[in-house]
Amino acid sequence: MMSRPWIARAFLSRPERLLPTSALGIALLAYLALPVYAGGPPLAFDTFNALQFFARLAPLVLGLGLTMFAGEFDLSIVGTYALGGMLAVQYGGTHWATGIAVALAAGAVIGAVQGALVARFNISSMPVTLGTYIALLGLTKSISGGLSKTYDNISVTLWVDRQIAVILSPRSLLALAAFVVIGLILGCSRWGREVRAIGSDRRASRVSGVRADRLLIGLFATSGVLAAASGALLNFSLGAANPDPGTQPLILAAVGALLGGVSLAGGRGTVVGLLAGALTVSLLAQIVTAAGLQGYLAQLFYAALLVLIVAVEAPGLRRAWTRTSVRLHSRRSAERTRPTDSRKVAS
Amino acid sequence: MSTVQTPLDTADTATGGPRRAAAWSDAVAALALVALLVLGAATHRFYTFDNLRAVLTSASLVGIAALGLTLIVIAGTSVSLAISETASVCAMVFLATQSWGLVPSLLVTLAAGAAITALQGLAVGYGEANPIVLSIAAGFALVGVATWVTGGTSVAPHGAGYIHLNATPGGIASSVYVLVAFTVLLELLLRRSGFGRTLYLTGANRRAATAAGLAVGRTITIAWLLAGALFAVAASFSGAFNTTANINLGGTLTFDAIAAVLAGGTPIAGGSGSAVRTLCGAVLIAALSDVLLLRGYSTGAQVMVKGLIVLAIVVVVHLRSRQGAR
């Protein structure tokens, strides 16, 4: 095994550490090189825009990532995102706080109901959240009559996008704050370990005294609240509510979470990793916009990254890789020492 | 509504799960159908030939794609999240090759769909790759390549061979005949062939199937290949109907197909399910939307009821089967 370069070993054994770091590192390097090939617009403006995109995407990455820690997959986030945004615009006309409160309450209730279903009945979360996603999309459409809804409270719109310290805004600060709060909660309590335990082996975790049901309900409720908050803040900033955001936010959130080193099988990942994944996707989006690159280049790049993730995680491919490297290694050592039967060594 | 005879039914399984699941979900599906028929009877103009034709036509495209997805689900390889993108690309291929004549362009389209999806099936079957992540990657790649090739424009056909796909023999859209024909063919394939038996066993327990020496990798690859071909069939009809195709043609096909499979009572864990079931799921959703439309509900309400039906069927099927398999 010593013949394998240490990078490959680290990559194959600890993808949850190396993947977010390397993905974010590459994205940052490309981003810092932006003035070189984009003809030098000021970086501060680009950074502000990247963080605005981050504010929209990161709560979804965090919510989806949290459920993925526990081995679940919350497809409904994009439905909650649409509904939360619509409710915030609908009820936030007179006072923004009412709109936000309604949106967050709806997100929490939807998440908790789904979490209860998944936990109590031990159902796979994907079909459940798919049904919810379709239902929420319909509900959002019927609230608005299938049309976009405008939000006239200009002062709120201006406030959520106000520049703070050149590159930040209240929206991006709130998104970062969500990561800090949830990261501290999971890092400084038993919950972080318990959530990962649920993800790696639910039955064993229940037996060892983890309250899996409560945690799952909490995770799904958190995921719902984050998605609703993201949608509400986005619509305040746009000054309008779109009843159907499409599936792009969901897919990008999944990419962010996977780049953050979370596995679909569950039981792996950290909040810091999710933050790195969300930042990576935001930076890449901004690079494509600022450098005037073709949109398809970003699509192909995401495809390549995901294929890499799949290749690293697929057990069958990993076994093939191990077999090949063992065979090569034994052949090399056979050449170095006296000639032996390489098949005997390899086996 | 006949009970699905999977190979597991004949075996004396300890849980009795699959057999009970089939029986119960059939009962639930029958109940839902009866409720729907009663509701239909109470709705003005539901039982007219024109309306039933509309229901079948609207169910046909999603139904054909859902039949393909059924194979992927039965194989225990979760779902593909790239159905819309695959269908868009296939429709573009179909319309771009119209100048060669209808049959060659259909064959090329089927080959394209089968190749795109079988490539993923290879990685899923032999490499045990994660189908969800892989199909998301495939979706990105398809959109990227298609945008690159076409420059982001729509494909317009040179030639009018595609008109034949819009034919309505006997007053019913030809896509409906194709849907029924493929349902029968797939049902026969699943129940009467070695491939079908291996597919159910692979989906029920992949490790056991591998240990038993079944050709798991090959079976999964073939399932994905056939699924891709069916996505291409749906795409051809969609392209012929719209007469232009771009990368957004697939629309919400991915989630509509998944919804149809789930509404048919097929558990997403794999190892059970049937073509007839998926057909019923697709027709059920289309008929429900139609009843709501006739009663004057908005599109939003129709979509919402669709979601709730999927949710209810998923929960009920799961509770009745008591498998708790994940």
Side-chain angles (χ1 to χ4, degrees):
Chain A
M1 283 294 149
M2 289 303 290
S3 72
R4 227 188 287 169
W6 69 268
I7 288 180
R9 213 166 47 229
F11 202 97
L12 286 171
S13 59
R14 305 299 296 268
E16 74 272 24
R17 275 195 192 168
L18 204 90
L19 182 68
T21 324
S22 48
L24 184 59
I26 292 167
L28 262 176
L29 283 176
Y31 181 72
L32 291 174
L34 197 56
V36 177
Y37 53 84
L43 259 180
F45 174 70
D46 286 327
T47 313
F48 177 80
N49 279 341
L51 285 173
Q52 288 297 82
F53 188 81
F54 171 86
R56 173 194 307 198
L57 179 75
L60 297 180
V61 173
L62 184 57
L64 182 66
L66 285 176
T67 55
M68 282 165 80
F69 286 173
E72 304 292 350
F73 194 82
D74 189 356
L75 280 172
S76 70
I77 50 167
V78 67
T80 319
Y81 173 77
L83 180 71
M86 188 58 74
L87 289 174
V89 165
Q90 176 96 348
Y91 295 102
T94 45
H95 200 291
W96 59 268
T98 322
I100 291 275
V102 172
L104 294 190
V109 169
I110 291 162
V113 169
Q114 292 188 104
L117 279 177
V118 168
R120 292 263 183 270
F121 299 148
N122 203 9
I123 306 185
S124 158
S125 56
M126 206 161 185
V128 171
T129 52
L130 176 79
T132 318
Y133 159 64
I134 296 174
L136 290 177
L137 218 54
L139 181 61
T140 311
K141 273 197 180 125
S142 37
I143 287 176
S144 71
L147 306 165
S148 289
K149 222 179 172 65
T150 50
Y151 184 66
D152 304 326
N153 199 332
I154 297 292
S155 58
V156 174
T157 299
L158 290 173
W159 187 82
V160 290
D161 285 342
R162 206 160 46 97
Q163 275 193 324
I164 300 175
V166 185
I167 57 167
L168 291 165
S169 71
R171 268 173 68 210
S172 51
L173 274 173
L174 281 169
L176 285 168
F179 277 91
V180 171
V181 169
I182 290 177
L184 284 175
I185 289 175
L186 288 186
C188 300
S189 68
R190 285 187 332 202
W191 288 340
R193 288 194 302 277
E194 288 185 344
V195 166
R196 277 187 284 273
I198 296 177
S200 45
D201 191 339
R202 186 141 322 164
R203 199 173 292 173
S205 70
R206 277 187 214 271
V207 170
S208 55
V210 174
R211 288 176 167 156
D213 290 9
R214 284 188 196 185
L215 276 175
L216 278 172
I217 293 171
L219 283 175
F220 275 91
T222 311
S223 168
V225 166
L226 285 166
S230 170
L233 288 172
L234 173 71
N235 288 354
F236 280 170
S237 128
L238 294 175
N242 172 9
D244 185 3
T247 55
Q248 192 71 358
L250 171 73
I251 299 290
L252 280 181
V255 173
L258 289 165
L259 286 179
V262 184
S263 132
L264 263 179
R268 211 184 66 199
T270 59
V271 174
V272 178
L274 291 177
L275 178 64
L279 276 172
T280 306
V281 175
S282 311
L283 287 176
L284 290 175
Q286 186 54 34
I287 289 170
V288 169
T289 314
L293 294 174
Q294 298 290 344
Y296 67 79
L297 284 174
Q299 306 266 12
L300 291 177
F301 186 66
Y302 286 137
L305 280 176
L306 289 175
V307 166
L308 192 70
I309 292 171
V310 167
V312 166
E313 294 206 345
L317 293 175
R318 201 188 292 193
R319 270 200 302 274
W321 165 259
T322 312
R323 267 202 303 273
T324 322
S325 62
V326 164
R327 203 170 297 146
L328 283 173
H329 176 64
S330 62
R331 200 170 298 162
R332 260 206 303 271
S333 62
E335 283 164 10
R336 269 205 302 273
T337 57
R338 57 193 167 75
T340 52
D341 186 0
S342 64
R343 263 175 315 179
K344 210 181 292 179
V345 181
S347 66
Chain B
M1 281 294 158
S2 59
T3 346
V4 186
Q5 280 290 333
T6 67
L8 293 164
D9 292 353
T10 49
D12 237 353
T13 44
T15 55
R19 189 186 339 182
R20 275 231 307 272
W24 268 108
S25 44
D26 280 350
V28 169
L31 266 178
L33 208 63
V34 168
L36 185 66
L37 293 178
V38 170
L39 191 66
T43 307
H44 180 55
R45 292 216 334 262
F46 182 73
Y47 287 121
T48 57
F49 179 69
D50 280 343
N51 185 54
L52 293 179
R53 194 172 61 183
V55 169
L56 285 174
T57 309
S58 69
S60 62
L61 292 192
V62 171
I64 294 170
L67 284 180
L69 184 66
T70 308
L71 287 167
I72 291 178
V73 172
I74 292 176
T77 47
S78 189
V79 291
S80 162
L81 288 184
I83 301 174
S84 300
E85 289 84 355
T86 310
S88 300
V89 168
C90 287
M92 288 156 104
V93 169
F94 177 67
L95 290 183
T97 55
Q98 276 307 303
S99 52
W100 306 355
L102 178 64
V103 174
S105 75
L106 263 179
L107 288 176
V108 169
T109 310
L110 286 183
I116 290 166
T117 319
L119 206 63
Q120 298 162 61
L122 276 173
V124 172
Y126 288 98
E128 290 169 58
N130 186 309
I132 305 275
V133 185
L134 188 66
S135 56
I136 292 178
F140 275 122
L142 286 169
V143 172
V145 171
T147 318
W148 187 11
V149 170
T150 61
T153 55
S154 292
V155 175
H158 299 287
Y162 64 85
I163 299 262
H164 296 297
L165 293 188
N166 294 336
T168 49
I172 296 175
S174 49
S175 55
V176 176
Y177 294 108
V178 172
L179 171 67
V180 173
F182 273 123
T183 307
V184 172
L185 280 175
L186 267 190
E187 196 62 20
L188 287 173
L189 182 76
L190 286 170
R191 289 198 204 182
R192 297 263 178 268
S193 73
F195 163 76
R197 280 191 291 277
T198 316
L199 191 69
Y200 280 116
L201 291 170
T202 302
N205 190 335
R206 185 163 171 172
R207 283 179 64 193
T210 312
L214 297 173
V216 169
R218 194 179 64 203
T219 308
I220 289 175
T221 308
I222 293 173
W224 281 66
L225 183 141
L226 293 174
L230 282 161
F231 300 157
V233 172
S236 305
F237 279 112
S238 181
F241 181 73
N242 287 298
T243 66
T244 58
N246 62 15
I247 197 64
N248 299 320
L249 182 79
T252 56
L253 186 64
T254 298
F255 287 139
D256 287 344
I258 300 177
V261 173
L262 291 174
T266 300
I268 211 153
S272 64
S274 77
V276 172
R277 225 168 236 275
T278 298
L279 175 72
C280 294
V283 172
L284 173 76
I285 288 177
L288 258 174
S289 300
D290 183 71
V291 166
L292 291 171
L293 182 73
L294 289 178
R295 291 184 158 253
Y297 287 95
S298 66
T299 322
Q302 292 169 39
V303 175
M304 190 167 118
V305 169
K306 178 166 86 174
L308 292 175
I309 284 285
V310 169
L311 189 62
I313 291 181
V314 164
V315 172
V316 168
V317 166
H318 179 88
L319 284 187
R320 295 307 181 193
S321 71
R322 278 280 171 218
Q323 273 176 292
R326 306 199 36 115

